Amino acid sequence: MHEVGEQLSIPYNTVCVYKKRVINKIAKEIAELEEQLG
């Protein structure tokens, strides 16, 4: 993840926060799909 921050010129902590947000959104979407599909 350090490389990502360097390539995007953003701090490592920001990369971690964004990663966590994306994982949470994906998990929420999976939960909704599982509920819909039963």
Side-chain angles (χ1 to χ4, degrees):
M1 284 193 290
H2 288 285
E3 297 86 11
V4 174
E6 290 175 7
Q7 289 179 0
L8 298 175
S9 299
I10 58 176
Y12 172 75
N13 291 344
T14 304
V15 175
C16 293
V17 170
Y18 289 165
K19 178 183 173 185
K20 186 170 183 173
R21 288 180 184 170
V22 169
I23 290 172
N24 288 341
K25 287 185 181 198
I26 291 171
K28 183 179 176 186
E29 185 68 25
I30 290 170
E32 289 177 5
L33 288 171
E34 286 178 340
E35 185 178 318
Q36 289 176 3
L37 298 174

